[in-house]
Amino acid sequence: MALGHDTADSLGTVAALINTAATGPDALLTPADLDVFLARERFSGSRTHTAAELRAVRHLRAGLRQLWTADEERLAVGVNQLLRNARALPQVVRHDEWGWHLHCTSPAAPLEERLATEAAMALADVLRGGELDRLGTCAAPDCAAVILDLTRNRSKRYCDTGNCGNREHVRSYRSRRAATQKAAR
């Protein structure tokens, strides 16, 4: 099953949100940090720009991290809880450069509710499509980031937050080279 563009975009935003706390210092320490994140992810709707809004998003981030690696049953329970908490009411909308897609809250709903429902709907699509293997964690032993594997052959192993893939490939190459040199002696 191919994921729809809005599902893939929402999952990308969820992964990016989770990874703001996965690979080093927390990237969401201030409301200004949240502004930068939301602009980069092109996330629309109302904002309060308050410390309370930031705390709510950081709380949501922790819950989404747990759902990212959950089994089907735990994911279903978590998705339903997110939708219930936000009092989701799906609507088909079109705005900015986006074609028709689903929003589950009004643009005036609190940011954390809009983020939660976008995540819940995307995770529900993954669950319904039997695509849980598209959600994973970086294979680098020193990285805690999550990955979204949208490759056709489901071969993505490393995150996009740094140079994990390059670092691991260099490490592997050096290991193979050292073994070859040792065997040649």
Side-chain angles (χ1 to χ4, degrees):
M1 169 186 174
L3 299 174
H5 71 87
D6 54 339
T7 297
D9 287 340
S10 292
L11 289 170
T13 297
V14 172
L17 178 60
I18 293 167
N19 288 339
T20 60
T23 58
D26 192 330
L28 294 180
L29 295 176
T30 68
D33 294 337
L34 184 56
D35 292 342
V36 170
F37 172 79
L38 294 170
R40 187 177 61 239
E41 294 299 318
R42 300 182 315 188
F43 203 86
S44 61
S46 68
R47 293 282 314 285
T48 62
H49 302 277
T50 63
E53 181 179 66
L54 176 64
R55 276 192 305 277
V57 170
R58 288 171 52 123
H59 178 74
L60 173 64
R61 176 181 65 186
L64 291 173
R65 172 68 191 210
Q66 291 176 349
L67 290 179
W68 195 266
T69 55
D71 62 29
E72 285 185 2
E73 294 299 320
R74 284 188 7 218
L75 181 58
V77 168
V79 163
N80 287 335
Q81 188 65 50
L82 287 172
L83 292 171
R84 239 185 337 272
N85 289 350
R87 298 168 305 281
L89 181 62
Q91 307 162 53
V92 178
V93 297
R94 180 173 51 188
H95 60 87
D96 303 320
E97 75 277 2
W98 302 102
W100 290 108
H101 60 284
L102 284 174
H103 277 202
C104 295
T105 59
S106 78
L111 174 63
E112 68 275 9
E113 287 183 11
R114 293 191 327 276
L115 280 167
T117 58
E118 291 282 328
M121 293 300 290
L123 290 168
D125 279 351
V126 168
L127 185 62
R128 289 180 319 121
E131 300 280 353
L132 256 56
D133 57 346
R134 299 242 182 229
L135 311 178
T137 55
C138 184
D142 57 344
C143 183
V146 299
I147 60 170
L148 171 60
D149 186 355
L150 296 177
T151 63
R152 188 175 281 198
N153 65 356
R154 300 163 198 259
S155 60
K156 186 170 183 172
R157 297 185 53 212
Y158 300 104
C159 70
D160 300 325
T161 63
N163 295 315
C164 292
N166 288 339
R167 193 174 59 249
E168 290 304 307
H169 289 111
V170 167
R171 188 178 298 156
S172 177
Y173 167 76
R174 288 179 179 161
S175 177
R176 285 191 313 272
R177 192 173 90 190
T180 301
Q181 289 174 348
K182 185 177 179 180
R185 290 184 194 160

